[in-house]
Amino acid sequence: MKPPFRPPAIPLITIDPYTSCWSFADRLYDQWPRHWTGTEFALCGLARVDGKALRFMGGAEVLAESVRQISVEVQPTRTIYLFEAGPVELEVTFISPLLLDDLELLSRPASYVWFRTRSQDGAAHRVQVYLDMTSQWAVNVPHQKVVWQRGQAGELLVLGFRHELQPILQKAGDDVRIDWGTALLAVPRTADALVGDIDYCRAAFVQRGVLSDEHLLPMPRKSSYWGEAVLALKLDVSCGARREGEGVALIGYDDEYAVEYFGAPLRAWWRRHPEASPGRMLGAAFADAATVRERCRAYDAHLLSEAERVGGSQYARLIGLAYRQAISACKLVAAPDGRPFFFSKENFSNACMGTVDVNYKSAPLFIYANPELMKGMLDPIFDYCRSDAWRFPFPAHDLGLYPKANGQVYRNFHLPDQTEVAQMPVEECGNMLTLTAAVCLREGHAGYAAAQWDQITQWADYLVEHGLDPEAQLVTDDFTGMMGHSVNLSAKSAVAIACYALLAKMQGRGEVAARYRAIAEDYAARWQRMADDGDHYRLAFDRPGSWSQKYNLAWDTVFGLELFPREVMQKELAFYARQRLAYGTPLDSRSPAAKPEWAIWVATMTESKQAFEEFVAPIYRYVNETPNRVPLADIYFAHSGRRRANQARSVVGGFFMKLLADQLAQARAEAGGHRPQALPGA
């Protein structure tokens, strides 16, 4: 039996950066569910078993007596709670069907809450479950007012909350919740659903087992205020001696317009068709419910099995927790020309959207699962950088402040004039080249690179000129500040130039490939001499006695580039192990701050599964023991396990680097080559 796993927060309803609801507690009934930002996002769950009311979700002020939680299991697309409710076993499963190989399903903004009951004493039992949603789901702050609606859509009863003013795409920023569109709660027409007063409706179920709209005040009403309304439903999930009870509810959000892209409002991918509507969307979700549940079950089982095969049981649990967090920090929309654009949001860092170096950290998941999504991240950057709006010889850092992609907003506030060093020139050049190569290797041909050839050539040449010994500038770990002569940034440059050479070779540009490969090999050799510090390599070329994790070298292993000798990473890995603290190895010698995704990239360069597991173990310990009960934070202190910054970001997609390495290694083996050539299909 596996030891218990205690995630710092547990995903419940995870759709996109706005509709993202989590439990910040060990037991679902210990406190109210919350938005990833920590703002209350209340769902109330009650059960009546043979007339006795018990609470299974939400605060004790509604009903003191609760069920007893037996277990909770977090899998990639599902969170499964098991409760003892008197003589009945109650299972509550939250499913967000974020299947990355199905863009229609991925974009559909509807999650499922499945209820299953089973008799534990061999007798039949009458069981009803109650679920309600507060208007907090449709506002940014509590004093905003909402209106509500109740209607039918095919086989469903559909309830909705809307902010009365509908300020579509008017707000941008980080600690912000959506206040336009409609929060949706739906249930089959055979069940009961209504809009009721928050106190009277809950009391009616507890005391009489019914829904009630008595004392519901007229709309509009303020959220989280006296007289607040709730969307409420009741399902009969009674079970017999040999018959389980079952029911399903849907929670969704129709944002109508998802993001702004250089002044144009864009629809979510599912809403790109003129006939799309929330009613049709929910109807399709309900019609597919059983099939989707089985697809999610099979997908979870396969992904966790693969993760355990390549990285062990602790790695598999980290993958299960990271999956929905990484995806729901992004939004899939339809570009003006119909392409899928996939925008990340920098949660609790600065709210930049489409950030190149955030996409770089997140990339292993999306390259592994569906390179179309990686292209959906890269395409807007390529488009922006070839436009007249961009005047620099290196890529942009971002596309705007979520949800407004109207041009880069990032700058180093110590250098506000947007000069080259006020940005991340070497960082983002290296990232775009590497990610373009990753897409082409996954697709088995260089067509994607060929379409962007002029731009990536410009960026490769920038690295040839500036990448070997970079001047003082920021890197993706910008919380560490500006630094010149970065050894890690130099390694990124060498690897990225080698990626450009590989892309040239895959297109039959032999002379170009040979020239840039020679430059990359020369830089790698010079790097080893310049960075050498005895038993490790330095943080900066001019800082003897310093050190850092060389996570950018992971691509040399993952792509099979054979640019750096194995001895380089063997020496580094042995040194990192000696620097390891209780919750992992710090990022570098400047502080005990650690980055879990980088640590897994580094671990991917180990030469055995056992060695990989040894690097993963303290990261797993951090996740299991951190006192900060928030969706996974990606900067923490390696000596204490305490969060330093950030939470709920897509960068945990970087945990998939080991799976991606295995996938690409298998592709190379099937192609019969060692160093990447043109893979099958080229």
Side-chain angles (χ1 to χ4, degrees):
M1 184 175 180
K2 293 181 179 179
F5 179 45
R6 189 234 62 179
I10 296 170
L12 303 178
I13 307 296
T14 48
I15 294 173
D16 60 26
Y18 284 132
T19 306
S20 182
C21 178
W22 299 66
S23 171
F24 284 33
D26 290 339
R27 300 178 301 185
L28 189 58
Y29 46 79
D30 281 344
Q31 60 176 252
W32 293 106
R34 297 181 180 277
H35 190 261
W36 69 260
T37 57
T39 298
E40 190 175 285
F41 234 39
L43 293 171
C44 180
L46 307 170
R48 279 175 61 94
V49 180
D50 299 328
K52 181 179 177 59
L54 300 165
R55 185 182 87 259
F56 66 84
M57 178 166 56
E61 63 268 33
V62 176
L63 175 64
E65 192 167 358
S66 71
V67 298
R68 184 176 71 87
Q69 184 170 308
I70 299 170
S71 64
V72 58
E73 186 174 359
V74 179
Q75 299 195 4
T77 66
R78 302 174 301 153
T79 296
I80 306 161
Y81 284 95
L82 193 62
F83 304 107
E84 181 185 274
V88 168
E89 179 184 83
L90 170 65
E91 183 181 270
V92 181
T93 302
F94 297 86
I95 303 178
S96 291
L98 303 178
L99 300 181
L100 296 180
D101 62 348
D102 185 340
L103 298 190
E104 296 298 328
L105 185 58
L106 170 66
S107 177
R108 183 192 287 167
S111 289
Y112 301 89
V113 187
W114 283 91
F115 303 97
R116 182 191 61 80
T117 60
R118 185 173 63 185
S119 173
Q120 303 220 77
D121 61 3
H125 297 281
R126 291 179 297 106
V127 186
Q128 293 84 37
V129 292
Y130 168 99
L131 178 68
D132 78 36
M133 170 195 284
T134 70
S135 56
Q136 294 164 319
W137 285 67
V139 297
N140 177 39
V141 290
H143 67 263
Q144 291 178 308
K145 293 181 180 179
V146 297
V147 296
W148 48 84
Q149 59 196 46
R150 182 180 186 275
Q152 296 183 8
E155 298 299 314
L156 295 173
L157 298 175
V158 180
L159 309 173
F161 274 133
R162 292 170 60 83
H163 178 221
E164 64 168 342
L165 301 180
Q166 290 297 295
I168 297 175
L169 295 171
Q170 291 183 19
K171 294 181 179 65
D174 196 7
D175 193 355
V176 175
R177 287 140 300 278
I178 195 168
D179 56 6
W180 70 90
T182 309
L184 299 163
L185 181 65
V187 71
R189 290 172 61 181
T190 53
D192 296 329
L194 54 73
V195 183
D197 174 87
I198 190 169
D199 294 316
Y200 287 97
C201 190
R202 291 170 178 174
F205 181 80
V206 170
Q207 295 165 11
R208 309 195 306 273
V210 299
L211 299 183
S212 172
D213 59 3
E214 59 186 320
H215 304 294
L216 178 64
L217 297 173
M219 55 182 172
R221 301 298 303 165
K222 288 184 179 180
S223 177
S224 299
Y225 195 67
W226 175 79
E228 179 185 355
V230 291
L231 312 180
L233 61 85
K234 184 185 79 168
L235 282 164
D236 189 323
V237 289
S238 298
C239 55
R242 295 182 178 83
R243 178 184 56 81
E244 294 183 348
E246 186 174 79
V248 64
L250 290 145
I251 293 177
Y253 206 102
D254 172 30
D255 57 15
E256 300 179 24
Y257 287 97
V259 303
E260 186 173 286
Y261 182 69
F262 293 95
L266 301 185
R267 300 277 197 184
W269 183 253
W270 74 274
R271 235 190 186 278
R272 70 194 185 281
H273 303 298
E275 66 274 14
S277 69
R280 289 189 178 188
M281 179 272 296
L282 290 171
F286 179 66
D288 295 345
T291 301
V292 168
R293 178 170 61 170
E294 178 55 28
R295 287 177 65 186
C296 288
R297 187 207 61 76
Y299 182 81
D300 289 353
H302 173 74
L303 181 56
L304 294 177
S305 175
E306 285 293 286
E308 185 160 356
R309 177 181 64 82
V310 303
S313 60
Q314 292 185 343
Y315 178 62
R317 279 181 157 178
L318 293 178
I319 288 296
L321 179 61
Y323 186 85
R324 275 174 283 169
Q325 174 171 321
I327 300 167
S328 63
C330 306
K331 185 71 175 182
L332 183 65
V333 306
D337 62 4
R339 287 174 295 167
F341 277 179
F342 196 45
F343 292 112
S344 59
K345 175 183 180 290
E346 289 200 50
N347 289 342
F348 267 22
S349 52
N350 63 9
C352 283
M353 66 184 294
T355 302
V356 173
D357 54 283
V358 167
N359 294 343
Y360 177 72
K361 298 172 187 175
S362 312
L365 166 58
F366 303 115
I367 299 166
Y368 172 79
N370 187 353
E372 287 299 319
L373 291 169
M374 193 72 252
K375 289 192 284 189
M377 290 178 154
L378 298 177
D379 279 352
I381 296 291
F382 278 121
D383 289 358
Y384 178 37
C385 291
R386 69 167 59 96
S387 74
D388 293 338
W390 187 250
R391 58 186 175 87
F392 296 101
F394 50 82
H397 166 273
D398 65 84
L399 289 159
L401 197 66
Y402 196 90
K404 294 176 177 287
N406 294 324
Q408 177 172 300
V409 295
Y410 185 88
R411 62 188 174 92
N412 181 347
F413 287 95
H414 298 292
L415 298 165
D417 57 349
Q418 282 291 40
T419 61
E420 291 192 14
V421 294
Q423 302 184 61
M424 297 183 185
V426 172
E427 174 74 43
E428 308 301 20
C429 279
N431 294 340
M432 290 297 289
L433 286 166
T434 302
L435 296 179
T436 300
V439 168
C440 293
L441 287 171
R442 272 287 282 121
E443 292 191 326
H445 60 84
Y448 187 67
Q452 327 286 349
W453 196 246
D454 289 346
Q455 277 185 288
I456 64 174
T457 298
Q458 179 185 36
W459 297 337
D461 289 339
Y462 188 93
L463 293 181
V464 170
E465 182 177 355
H466 300 283
L468 175 61
D469 189 7
E471 64 179 325
Q473 58 194 270
L474 291 169
V475 299
T476 180
D477 306 309
D478 56 2
F479 65 93
T480 62
M482 291 182 67
M483 182 180 69
H485 316 291
S486 168
V487 173
N488 213 357
L489 207 53
S490 178
K492 180 191 289 280
S493 299
V495 170
I497 294 168
C499 287
Y500 179 79
L502 170 63
L503 293 170
K505 187 171 186 177
M506 292 175 72
Q507 296 175 73
R509 302 172 185 258
E511 182 181 343
V512 173
R515 176 158 31 101
Y516 282 87
R517 176 71 193 192
I519 293 170
E521 290 177 352
D522 175 58
Y523 282 11
R526 292 164 67 182
W527 181 95
Q528 292 170 65
R529 296 193 298 271
M530 295 162 61
D532 189 61
D533 208 55
D535 62 351
H536 67 279
Y537 295 93
R538 298 175 180 177
L539 166 70
F541 292 128
D542 62 344
R543 297 192 188 186
S546 65
W547 60 271
S548 64
Q549 292 193 49
K550 309 305 187 297
Y551 51 81
N552 287 312
L553 289 180
W555 297 107
D556 193 28
T557 298
V558 173
F559 291 166
L561 295 172
E562 298 182 353
L563 187 62
F564 288 82
R566 285 299 309 162
E567 292 77 14
V568 169
M569 281 317 301
Q570 287 170 351
K571 181 163 74 171
E572 281 286 281
L573 289 166
F575 183 81
Y576 303 156
R578 294 195 294 274
Q579 312 311 310
R580 189 176 294 151
L581 302 177
Y583 297 100
T585 301
L587 181 64
D588 59 48
S589 52
R590 290 173 289 185
S591 83
K595 292 279 291 173
E597 73 278 16
W598 291 153
I600 289 176
W601 287 31
V602 165
T604 298
M605 294 183 277
T606 57
E607 295 180 329
S608 71
K609 182 178 178 181
Q610 179 182 349
F612 178 83
E613 290 179 294
E614 289 173 358
F615 273 86
V616 166
I619 304 168
Y620 178 85
R621 190 179 307 120
Y622 150 65
V623 173
N624 207 37
E625 298 179 6
T626 177
N628 301 109
R629 305 307 301 271
V630 297
L632 196 57
D634 57 273
I635 306 177
Y636 70 94
F637 292 110
H639 64 299
S640 67
R642 288 189 174 274
R643 170 188 178 274
R644 171 172 169 170
N646 304 344
Q647 66 193 50
R649 299 207 308 163
S650 65
V651 301
V652 296
F655 288 11
F656 284 71
M657 184 62 103
K658 181 65 171 175
L659 282 161
L660 177 62
D662 179 77
Q663 182 186 62
L664 292 180
Q666 289 186 42
R668 289 195 298 275
E670 291 169 4
H674 188 55
R675 181 180 295 174
Q677 309 291 327
L679 295 183

